[in-house]
Amino acid sequence: MKDVYLFSGFLGSGKTTLLMNTIRQLKEQNLKPAIIMNELGALNFDSQAIEENIPLKEMLNGCICCTGAEKTEAQIQSLLADSEFDVLIIETTGAAHPVEALDAVYSPLFANELNIKGIVTVADSKRWLEREGMSIQTRSLFLEQIRHAHLILANKMDLLTESEMAKVTFEMQNINSHALIIQTTNASLPIKYLQRLQATARPASIQKATIGEHLHLGSRLVTFNSEESFTQEKFEEWIKTLPNSVYRMKGFVPIEGIRNPMLFQYAYGLTQWLPEYVKMEPNLVIIGENVNELDLPKA
């Protein structure tokens, strides 16, 4: 049987960093991973970091726990039929309810071929302390991702004081007393903690939580024309004008004086710029609430 892990967590929490760390450790054990990555938008920038020899399926333009359930089944079937692998890792979009996403993995077509090890939730610890500033729906989803995890990474601990670290762990433990909580920086987790997981969730025992209206964030793809370019300062000035309902941005932004568009990432007010050595299509995916109403940056 193939072990299956489901990586849950809100946007920008560190799921993809955990994924890359896990892939590296699996390869050190001579185990071959396969990956399913779910994104709300039409492009998945994270998948470009996955090595070509690793079986990869992408689920775009939808949430795995809703309209994506049938697609998930088809992707898993395809992997089982066409690829050799030992471990399957499913990275969900940040808008996915973890139990419903896990439910989408179960199918009578391959139930005897998969061993569901559990839900691993990566939580942005700093964002956790600021959760009261979130919308009700967003905060509810954040709590659900903690409540239903089998293993919790209280990530970004390097941004907190010692008292804040203790507060985060204590509060998460109160919400989910059954999960092991590990304090991490850069989602650095020894793989032994994953391999010790033994999820008790089976199709008959999953109880879907009622959290009111299901949270669906919107996504918007912005394409820059070939003549358009920005200074980093001007682009970041635009970032400061955005409402807190914009949770995540990721893409390739053309910067004046730089040959190739730079990889740009944004999560909760924090920005990151990385050079690209290959010329990528200049575009940007914006994820959040009411993103179609935003004013776009001007060169």
Side-chain angles (χ1 to χ4, degrees):
M1 295 181 74
K2 319 280 190 187
D3 287 344
V4 181
Y5 301 95
L6 191 142
F7 287 178
S8 171
F10 213 71
L11 300 158
S13 61
K15 292 193 305 294
T16 302
T17 304
L18 173 63
L19 175 64
M20 303 309 295
N21 290 340
T22 302
I23 289 173
R24 174 182 54 78
Q25 293 181 81
L26 286 170
K27 292 179 72 174
E28 289 172 357
Q29 294 184 351
N30 294 317
L31 294 173
K32 187 170 184 179
I35 313 296
I36 293 177
M37 302 185 82
N38 180 211
E39 282 282 357
L40 283 172
L43 296 175
N44 189 349
F45 295 101
D46 291 329
S47 67
Q48 298 177 25
I50 304 296
E51 297 175 27
E52 290 185 4
N53 64 340
I54 294 177
L56 170 69
K57 298 290 184 181
E58 296 176 280
M59 292 180 56
L60 307 176
N61 281 325
C63 180
I64 190 174
C65 60
C66 299
T67 56
E70 291 183 1
K71 292 180 182 177
T72 306
E73 184 176 289
Q75 298 284 37
I76 294 175
Q77 276 187 282
S78 177
L79 283 172
L80 289 170
D82 303 332
S83 305
E84 291 187 9
F85 64 94
D86 303 300
V87 177
L88 173 61
I89 302 174
I90 301 172
E91 182 189 337
T92 67
T93 170
H97 187 293
V99 173
E100 294 178 4
L102 184 63
D103 198 23
V105 176
Y106 288 107
S107 167
L109 296 174
F110 41 71
N112 294 327
E113 298 181 66
L114 301 180
N115 176 33
I116 312 297
K117 297 282 281 184
I119 297 168
V120 181
T121 292
V122 186
D124 182 332
S125 298
K126 188 169 181 61
R127 189 66 179 167
W128 172 264
L129 293 173
E130 300 167 352
R131 65 190 181 280
E132 294 303 320
M134 297 177 175
S135 68
I136 293 174
Q137 287 181 310
T138 306
R139 186 167 65 249
S140 295
L141 179 61
F142 202 173
L143 293 172
E144 290 295 290
Q145 291 175 342
I146 298 296
R147 183 174 290 118
H148 294 283
H150 300 97
L151 173 65
I152 300 169
L153 271 64
N155 197 33
K156 303 189 181 181
M157 280 288 169
D158 55 317
L159 302 179
L160 306 185
T161 64
E162 287 190 11
S163 62
E164 287 174 331
M165 292 179 190
K167 179 178 173 67
V168 166
T169 306
F170 177 77
E171 291 178 345
M172 290 183 181
Q173 194 76 67
N174 276 343
I175 291 172
N176 186 343
S177 61
H178 301 290
L180 175 65
I181 300 177
I182 300 178
Q183 297 179 344
T184 59
T185 296
N186 296 325
S188 181
L189 179 75
I191 198 168
K192 64 182 180 182
Y193 291 106
L194 292 178
Q195 294 173 331
R196 288 174 184 169
L197 284 176
Q198 290 295 336
T200 56
R202 301 303 302 171
S205 65
I206 291 179
Q207 300 295 319
K208 294 187 180 180
T210 301
I211 58 172
E213 183 182 352
H214 184 71
L215 173 66
H216 274 287
L217 307 180
S219 67
R220 180 178 181 182
L221 175 64
V222 178
T223 302
F224 304 111
N225 63 50
S226 56
E227 294 81 25
E228 200 170 9
S229 63
F230 308 85
T231 64
Q232 272 186 245
E233 292 76 16
K234 193 165 186 178
F235 198 84
E236 295 211 12
E237 282 177 14
W238 170 71
I239 298 296
K240 293 175 183 177
T241 69
L242 296 176
N244 60 12
S245 57
V246 175
Y247 303 119
R248 190 86 157 102
M249 287 188 285
K250 189 180 293 185
F252 299 96
V253 179
I255 296 297
E256 290 180 11
I258 306 294
R259 180 176 179 181
N260 297 322
M262 295 185 71
L263 173 60
F264 171 77
Q265 298 193 64
Y266 167 93
Y268 305 113
L270 300 176
T271 60
Q272 182 182 44
W273 295 89
L274 294 172
E276 269 297 327
Y277 301 102
V278 177
K279 187 173 179 62
M280 306 299 292
E281 197 68 28
N283 49 37
L284 183 71
V285 173
I286 306 173
I287 298 174
E289 300 171 31
N290 304 315
V291 291
N292 287 327
E293 301 172 9
L294 292 177
D295 291 328
L296 298 179
K298 294 180 174 60

